Amino acid sequence: MKLQDKVAVITGGVSGIGAKTAELFIEEGAKVVLVDMNAEKGKAFEAELKAKNADVLFVEANITDEEQVKNIFKETIAKYGRVDVLFNNAGIGRVQPTEDLEYSEWRNTVNVDLDGVFLVAREGIREMLKTGGGTIVNTASMYGWVGSPGSAAYNAAKGGVLNLTRSLALEYATRNIRVNSLAPGFIDTPIIPEESKEQLRSMTPMQRLGKSEEMAKAVLFMASDDSSFMTGNTLTVDGGYTAQ
Ligand SMILES: NC(=O)c1ccc[n+]([C@@H]2O[C@H](COP(=O)([O-])OP(=O)(O)OC[C@H]3O[C@@H](n4cnc5c(N)ncnc54)[C@H](O)[C@@H]3O)[C@@H](O)[C@H]2O)c1
């Protein structure tokens, strides 16, 4: 058991990569706080996991709202008393030519994919400092490393997450908080529209989409003591895309 009795907060924890990571963390002994703005899906997933005897709590929150983010940790501390692992994973993405991109849409994407990641990380760090440390994994994207047409806001935000990760890692390196990021390639989750899947598969050197389970294993490595000397870095798990 790699996370025995650890308390893990997972944003975007009721769908795709976050949900599979929640299941793996539970298998590895963790108590998991599922955070999402989708309350219906959240309550259903919480009930499904509880039926399998998992120790879980669902907290509804929009990660762009500072008070709601504070409440995630208030509820976590009330139930479990500490935060050992934070998988800072909720995000949105949309493809749109830049000449058609409204400023409000740019703001919305950067607000969720970068500002939200900061807000959640800050509150997580505040709690970890009280209890002697922890680990944080931020979900970036392979499009934090490289560019692509039609995703200016998303790619800028994800590039920001990679450097936010490095900066936080250095800031807390001597205070036992390790901060790393995951850079997924194209992963078969609800974020990818059905009609895009074939094109994205063919763009991937391994000629398939990744699975959420494959992301979860990389997240577990970074969240657990298996990566005890790794901080400020990124696992890029993309079927070879950024090797091109
Ligand atoms: N699937 C991919 O191909 C891919 C590739 C690279 C990076 N990512 C990143 O992985 C992360 C997880 O995405 P996924 O593929 O599992 O997608 P997903 O849509 O299945 O899951 C994302 C979850 O985040 C939640 N969410 C979105 N905005 C939120 C907000 N403001 N507050 C709270 N919750 C919010 C959604 O309700 C959803 O449950 C995202 O950060 C995404 O950018 C995904």
Side-chain angles (χ1 to χ4, degrees):
M1 295 272 209
K2 293 182 191 292
L3 296 177
Q4 186 67 53
D5 295 327
K6 300 280 186 196
V7 178
V9 173
I10 303 181
T11 68
V14 311
S15 178
I17 296 168
K20 285 294 169 201
T21 302
E23 289 176 351
L24 183 60
F25 278 13
I26 289 163
E27 272 174 43
E28 293 291 339
K31 299 163 187 172
V32 172
V33 180
L34 307 163
V35 177
D36 210 283
M37 62 193 262
N38 187 333
E40 200 183 325
K41 223 170 163 178
K43 284 177 187 153
F45 192 46
E46 180 191 43
E48 182 190 322
L49 294 172
K50 276 188 171 162
K52 295 179 196 160
N53 291 322
D55 196 348
V56 288
L57 170 71
F58 171 66
V59 180
E60 180 183 353
N62 187 323
I63 60 160
T64 64
D65 183 308
E66 192 172 3
E67 289 312 310
Q68 291 182 34
V69 171
K70 287 187 174 170
N71 187 54
I72 298 168
F73 292 91
K74 209 173 135 200
E75 292 205 26
T76 301
I77 298 307
K79 176 145 189 196
Y80 296 119
R82 56 188 296 116
V83 179
D84 301 296
V85 173
L86 170 60
F87 183 30
N88 198 357
N89 164 74
I92 54 170
R94 191 150 88 94
V95 176
Q96 189 163 34
T98 298
E99 69 269 25
D100 300 330
L101 183 65
E102 297 293 340
Y103 179 51
S104 59
E105 293 170 300
W106 164 279
R107 280 287 339 134
N108 186 45
T109 302
V110 175
N111 199 20
V112 177
D113 289 343
L114 184 56
D115 297 21
V117 171
F118 154 70
L119 285 174
V120 173
R122 186 189 65 183
E123 295 309 312
I125 286 166
R126 284 176 172 168
E127 289 308 327
M128 288 175 184
L129 286 173
K130 292 178 195 164
T131 51
T135 57
I136 299 177
V137 179
N138 299 316
T139 302
S141 167
M142 65 183 179
Y143 286 135
W145 292 121
V146 297
S148 64
S151 292
Y154 180 85
N155 297 354
K158 294 297 190 178
V161 171
L162 293 181
N163 215 23
L164 174 66
T165 298
R166 295 182 197 105
S167 302
L168 296 178
L170 295 174
E171 195 169 342
Y172 296 99
T174 57
R175 283 178 276 177
N176 199 33
I177 300 177
R178 295 188 298 106
V179 189
N180 291 293
S181 51
L182 174 76
F186 300 124
I187 313 305
D188 194 353
T189 75
I191 215 174
I192 293 192
E194 205 55 48
E195 61 273 17
S196 309
K197 285 186 179 170
E198 176 49 29
Q199 189 199 359
L200 301 182
R201 182 197 66 73
S202 68
M203 288 163 69
T204 303
M206 286 178 73
Q207 294 296 299
R208 67 171 176 87
L209 299 179
K211 298 180 195 143
S212 293
E213 291 87 335
E214 294 173 304
M215 302 303 106
K217 287 176 189 167
V219 178
L220 175 63
F221 175 73
M222 291 187 281
S224 69
D225 285 345
D226 279 359
S227 61
S228 49
F229 198 49
M230 175 181 183
T231 198
N233 226 311
T234 302
L235 283 179
T236 303
V237 189
D238 66 356
Y241 187 96
T242 50
Q244 297 175 109

